[in-house]
C-alpha cells in the first residue's frame, strides 16, 4: 500500500502516533487509506451541498473496507465571477487546484482517491490532478440544478444573463428583471443548461472516470446520494484491481469524450480542458485532432442555451450512455475499453435507445457535424473555437466591419450604449491567457447582444473565451492572442472580417502590405500585474494548447 510510507514499520511510529490522534484504531491503520477530495463551498450554488455527497462517499468507502480522509479544494463560481476582475482568476484556478491536490496527496500518501467537483474549472483541475497522481480514482459530481420557471417557461442562467441586455435596451422593466432573478436558479447544483460545468461532468462520465449518471442525475435527487455511495464502494474495487487513470484515460477514451462532446453541443471550454487533461496524461491531442473529430461526428442533442431542452431532460431519457449508444450505431464509439466500472460496451448494453426527440437518431441528426467547430485563417492560424450548434443559421457565414475593443468592459459599454449595429463584428482583444491575463469568459457581451436583439446579426471574436451559457456567432480562443502579437491585435475599426463557420475560416480582409505596416508600428499595452496573475501570465501557454503552463 502507498500509505505504508506513513504507517508501516518502527520508523513510522511518530506518524502512527499522529494517526492515532485522529482517533484511528489498529484495525483502521491496517486498511487502505482513501482520499476524498471535495470542493464543498458556501459560496458556490453548485457546491453548497457537496458535504452531503462527501458523507455518502465516505459511507461507501467504509462499507467496502477503506478508511476515508477528506480535504477541501478551492473553487470559483464563474457566474458570480463574471464581468469583473474576478473572472481573471477562474481559468487560473484550474492549475492551482491541480497543484494543491498534488501537494496534499504527496505529503500525505494515500492509496486511492474519490474526487467530488461540480463546477467549471474544478472538474478539469481535479482530472488533471488525477492524471498526475495516477492513483486508483473515481469521480462523483454534485449534479445539475433543476431549471427555473418564469411565467410558465423554463429558464436557466443563460436566460437570466440575456435579460440584462433586454433590460438595458428598455425591453424589460426593473420589476420583471427582479421577478426573473428570483426564479432562474431554484436551488443547489451546477447551472441547469449544457454550460461548462455540466459539459465537463458529462464528459468525465463519457471518458470513463465516473459512473453512469454522473453528469445528468439532478443534484436534489436521492439517486445522486446513492450514486455517491456507489462511487465510494467502487473506488475500493479499483484499488484492489489496481486500475488507475492511466489504464482508463487512453487515446481511445479521449476520442469517446470528444465524440460525446460534439454530439451534445457542449461548451467551447471543453476544448481547453480536454487538451489540458490529455497533456497531463501524456496523450497526444491537439486542435487538429479536435477539428477532425468535429467534422465527422453528428450533433444529436440541442440543449439549453441552444434550445429549450435542459440537462435534466437528457437524464430522463437515458443520459450520456444513451447518447454514446446512439453514436455507437455509427461506429463512432470505442466500445472495448475500460471505465471505472466495466467496459464501455458493458455500460452501453443496458442503456436505453435514443428517444428521437431529446436524443436524435444518427440518421436524422440536428447537424451532420459536431456542435463545436474549429476555425482557422490568417486571424487564427493556431485555431479558434465556436459553438456552432448554438449559432443562428443566418450567421453561419458573415462578413462585416470590425468594432474593436481592448477589454470586455469597453465592449459592454458600447453594446449597451447602442453603439453596435446589425452586421458589425465586435472584436475584444487583450483578454487571452497572457493578455488578460486569465482568458476571461465573456457571457456579458454575448448575452447583452442577444438580449438587445442583435444575436442574429452581430458576430463577436475574441482571444478570450466564452461561458457555456453563450449562444450566437461568438468565436473565442483566437490564437495567437493579441498580447503575443497575433493578427487580432492589428485589426482596426472598419476592417472587413470574414466569418465562415461551414468553411472553418476566420479571416481579416486586409492586404499583407498593410498588415506589415501595422505590425511594424504595434506595441503590446503594458499591464501592471501582481501576485498570482503575474506568475500565471509569465507561465501560461496559448489557448490552442489548452492554456497549460510551460513545461
Amino acid at each position: 500500500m502507498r500509505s505504508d510510507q506513513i504507517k508501516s514499520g518502527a520508523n513510522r511510529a511518530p506518524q502512527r502516533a499522529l494517526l492515532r490522534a485522529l482517533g484511528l484504531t489498529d484495525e483502521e491503520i491496517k486498511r487502505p487509506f482513501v482520499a476524498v477530495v471535495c470542493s464543498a463551498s458556501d459560496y458556490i450554488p453548485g457546491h453548497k451541498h457537496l458535504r452531503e455527497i462527501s458523507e455518502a462517499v465516505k459511507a461507501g468507502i467504509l462499507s467496502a473496507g477503506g478508511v476515508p480522509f477528506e480535504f477541501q479544494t478551492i473553487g470559483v463560481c464563474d457566474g458570480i465571477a463574471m464581468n469583473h476582475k474576478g473572472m481573471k482568476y477562474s481559468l487560473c484556478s484550474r492549475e492551482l487546484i491541480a497543484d494543491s491536490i498534488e501537494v496534499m496527496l504527496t505529503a500525505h500518501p494515500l492509496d486511492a482517491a474519490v474526487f467530488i467537483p461540480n463546477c467549471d474549472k474544478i472538474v478539469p483541475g481535479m482530472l488533471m490532478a488525477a492524471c498526475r497522481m495516477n492513483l486508483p480514482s473515481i469521480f462523483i459530481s454534485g449534479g445539475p440544478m433543476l431549471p427555473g420557471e418564469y411565467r410558465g417557461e423554463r429558464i436557466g442562467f443563460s436566460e437570466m444573463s440575456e435579460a440584462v441586455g433586454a433590460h438595458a435596451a428598455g425591453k424589460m422593466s426593473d420589476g420583471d428583471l427582479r421577478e426573473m432573478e428570483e426564479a432562474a436558479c431554484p436551488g443547489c447544483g451546477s447551472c441547469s443548461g449544457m454550460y461548462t460545468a455540466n459539459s465537463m461532468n458529462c464528459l468525465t462520465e463519457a471518458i470513463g472516470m465516473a459512473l453512469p449518471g454522473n453528469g445528468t442525475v439532478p443534484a436534489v435527487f436521492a439517486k445522486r446520494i446513492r450514486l455517491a455511495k456507489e462511487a465510494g464502494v467502487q473506488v475500493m474495487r479499483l484499488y484492489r484491481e489496481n486500475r488507475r487513470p492511466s489504464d482508463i484515460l487512453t487515446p481511445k477514451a479521449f476520442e469517446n469524450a470528444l465524440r460525446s462532446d460534439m454530439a451534445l453541443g457542449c461548451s467551447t471550454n471543453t476544448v481547453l480542458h480536454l487538451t489540458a487533461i490529455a497533456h497531463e496524461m501524456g496523450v497526444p491531442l491537439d486542435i487538429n485532432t479536435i477539428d477532425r473529430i468535429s467534422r465527422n461526428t453528428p450533433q444529436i442533442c440541442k440543449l439549453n442555451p441552444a434550445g429549450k431542452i435542459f440537462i435534466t431532460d437528457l437524464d430522463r431519457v437515458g443520459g450520456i450512455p444513451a447518447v454514446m449508444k446512439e453514436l455507437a450505431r455509427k461506429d463512432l464509439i470505442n466500445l472495448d475499453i475500460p471505465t471505472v466500472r466495466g467496459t464501455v460496451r458493458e455500460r452501453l448494453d443496458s442503456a436505453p435507445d435514443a428517444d428521437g426527440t431529446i436524443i436524435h437518431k444518427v440518421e436524422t441528426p440536428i447537424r451532420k457535424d459536431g456542435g463545436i467547430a474549429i476555425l482557422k485563417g490568417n486571424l487564427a492560424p493556431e485555431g479558434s473555437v465556436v459553438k456552432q450548434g448554438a449559432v443562428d443559421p443566418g450567421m453561419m457565414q458573415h462578413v462585416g466591419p470590425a468594432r474593436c475593443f481592448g477589454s470586455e468592459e469597453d465592449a459592454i459599454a458600447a453594446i449597451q450604449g447602442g453603439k453596435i449595429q446589425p452586421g458589425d463584428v465586435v472584436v475584444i482583444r487583450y483578454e487571452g491567457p497572457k493578455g488578460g491575463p486569465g482568458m476571461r469568459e465573456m457571457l456579458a457581451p454575448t448575452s447583452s447582444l442577444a438580449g438587445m436583439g442583435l444575436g442574429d446579426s452581430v458576430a463577436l471574436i475574441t482571444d478570450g473565451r466564452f461561458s457555456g451559457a453563450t449562444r450566437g456567432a461568438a468565436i473565442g480562443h483566437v490564437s495567437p492572442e493579441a498580447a503575443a502579437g497575433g493578427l487580432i491585435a492589428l485589426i482596426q475599426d472598419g476592417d472587413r472580417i470574414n466569418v465562415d463557420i461551414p468553411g472553418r475560416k476566420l479571416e481579416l480582409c486586409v492586404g499583407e502590405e498593410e498588415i506589415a505596416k501595422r505590425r511594424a508600428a504595434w506595441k503590446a499595452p503594458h499591464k501592471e500585474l501582481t501576485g498570482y496573475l503575474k506568475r500565471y501570465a509569465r507561465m501560461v501557454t496559448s489557448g490552442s494548447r489548452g492554456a497549460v503552463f510551460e513545461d
Side-chain angles (χ1 to χ4, degrees):
M1 286 190 289
R2 186 169 177 270
S3 60
D4 284 344
Q5 296 176 59
I6 57 172
K7 65 184 185 183
S8 181
N11 288 345
R12 293 296 179 257
Q15 283 92 335
R16 288 195 300 275
L18 291 169
L19 293 173
R20 293 181 191 282
L22 297 174
L24 267 63
T25 65
D26 285 345
E27 180 59 34
E28 287 173 317
I29 290 173
K30 294 175 185 176
R31 294 177 183 174
F33 285 2
V34 181
V36 178
V37 186
C38 183
S39 53
S41 169
D42 289 341
Y43 206 11
I44 306 178
H47 292 224
K48 175 75 172 174
H49 64 304
L50 293 191
R51 292 178 185 86
E52 186 178 7
I53 300 291
S54 176
E55 289 304 313
V57 166
K58 288 189 279 187
I61 293 169
L62 287 166
S63 72
V67 180
F69 294 88
E70 180 180 352
F71 67 89
Q72 308 290 311
T73 67
I74 63 168
V76 171
C77 173
D78 280 22
I80 293 174
M82 198 72 68
N83 194 26
H84 60 88
K85 183 181 178 180
M87 180 48 73
K88 293 179 182 289
Y89 288 84
S90 174
L91 183 59
C92 298
S93 72
R94 187 185 70 182
E95 270 56 37
L96 284 175
I97 290 164
D99 288 350
S100 67
I101 294 169
E102 176 191 353
V103 167
M104 289 295 290
L105 292 183
T106 304
H108 307 96
L110 304 186
D111 303 301
V114 180
F115 293 89
I116 310 175
N118 211 27
C119 292
D120 295 281
K121 311 311 157 301
I122 299 100
V123 185
M126 287 189 178
L127 279 164
M128 291 164 69
C131 294
R132 197 179 298 176
M133 300 309 299
N134 203 30
L135 296 171
S137 301
I138 195 169
F139 279 66
I140 171 67
S141 78
M145 183 185 294
L146 297 175
E149 186 172 320
Y150 173 70
R151 298 185 178 180
E153 183 176 342
R154 292 190 305 169
I155 61 169
F157 187 74
S158 59
E159 286 82 4
M160 187 68 248
S161 299
E162 290 177 12
V164 174
H167 180 265
K171 298 178 181 180
M172 179 177 267
S173 70
D174 291 348
D176 290 346
L177 186 68
R178 173 61 183 267
E179 183 183 343
M180 193 175 189
E181 173 189 326
E182 292 178 346
C185 299
C188 67
S190 48
C191 292
S192 54
M194 188 55 83
Y195 314 148
T196 304
N198 287 330
S199 294
M200 288 308 303
N201 286 324
C202 287
L203 297 187
T204 302
E205 184 180 334
I207 210 167
M209 286 298 293
L211 295 173
N214 177 75
T216 59
V217 172
V220 294
F221 281 16
K223 186 178 179 181
R224 174 64 53 179
I225 299 300
R226 296 197 298 271
L227 197 64
K229 289 179 181 176
E230 290 177 31
V233 171
Q234 188 61 29
V235 78
M236 295 307 299
R237 296 193 183 106
L238 292 168
Y239 163 73
R240 294 181 179 111
E241 295 168 4
N242 196 29
R243 185 178 299 185
R244 300 169 182 264
S246 58
D247 300 314
I248 296 169
L249 296 176
T250 63
K252 289 184 177 180
F254 277 93
E255 183 177 343
N256 282 355
L258 282 166
R259 297 284 187 195
S260 302
D261 191 346
M262 299 305 166
L264 290 163
C266 288
S267 164
T268 53
N269 284 316
T270 59
V271 174
L272 279 176
H273 299 322
L274 287 174
T275 307
I277 295 159
H279 175 79
E280 286 285 353
M281 199 71 262
V283 171
L285 178 62
D286 60 21
I287 208 86
N288 296 319
T289 303
I290 295 169
D291 181 50
R292 173 180 59 79
I293 290 173
S294 168
R295 288 174 184 267
N296 60 19
T297 306
Q299 182 179 354
I300 58 175
C301 296
K302 192 168 186 176
L303 306 174
N304 179 269
K308 295 297 183 181
I309 297 170
F310 287 83
I311 195 81
T312 47
D313 300 318
L314 179 61
D315 183 66
R316 180 169 50 80
V317 297
I320 302 309
V323 172
M324 295 177 73
K325 183 177 182 178
E326 186 60 22
L327 292 176
R329 290 183 54 238
K330 201 176 178 182
D331 296 325
L332 293 173
I333 294 293
N334 297 299
L335 296 171
D336 296 314
I337 60 173
T339 72
V340 288
R341 186 171 67 192
T343 65
V344 173
R345 184 183 298 276
E346 290 166 343
R347 181 173 290 197
L348 303 192
D349 280 346
S350 58
D353 294 334
D355 70 310
T357 301
I358 293 172
I359 305 172
H360 288 230
K361 300 289 186 178
V362 289
E363 293 85 2
T364 54
I366 294 161
R367 307 182 51 84
K368 292 183 179 180
D369 54 356
I372 291 175
I374 306 299
L375 311 186
K376 288 190 173 184
N378 67 349
L379 256 179
E382 294 178 9
S384 60
V385 185
V386 61
K387 188 175 184 176
Q388 65 173 342
V391 177
D392 185 273
M395 290 298 292
M396 293 297 286
Q397 292 176 301
H398 179 77
V399 179
R403 298 289 178 260
C404 301
F405 303 94
S407 70
E408 178 188 9
E409 289 84 356
D410 289 347
I412 292 170
I415 294 167
Q416 295 188 355
K419 296 179 181 179
I420 303 301
Q421 303 301 316
D424 285 349
V425 179
V426 175
V427 178
I428 307 178
R429 56 197 176 195
Y430 299 108
E431 289 284 10
K434 287 183 179 294
M439 204 178 187
R440 283 196 284 183
E441 282 188 350
M442 298 195 198
L443 177 59
T446 57
S447 58
S448 291
L449 287 170
M452 297 180 76
L454 295 170
D456 59 356
S457 61
V458 172
L460 191 157
I461 70 170
T462 181
D463 51 8
R465 59 196 178 91
F466 295 108
S467 165
T470 286
R471 63 186 179 95
I475 298 101
H477 309 196
V478 171
S479 300
E481 62 176 289
L487 189 56
I488 189 173
L490 307 182
I491 304 172
Q492 294 182 1
D493 279 352
D495 287 348
R496 306 293 285 180
I497 293 176
N498 176 29
V499 176
D500 183 357
I501 297 174
R504 302 295 204 267
K505 292 180 181 178
L506 183 63
E507 297 177 322
L508 176 64
C509 304
V510 172
E512 288 298 324
E513 187 176 335
E514 174 63 19
I515 288 173
K517 189 185 302 182
R518 293 180 190 181
R519 188 172 296 284
W522 173 79
K523 186 178 180 181
H526 174 72
K527 291 187 178 182
E528 196 64 45
L529 302 175
T530 60
Y532 180 52
L533 282 184
K534 184 176 183 178
R535 298 198 303 275
Y536 184 87
R538 188 169 61 243
M539 298 170 68
V540 72
T541 62
S542 165
S544 65
R545 294 174 56 189
V548 298
F549 283 170
E550 292 284 1
D551 290 329

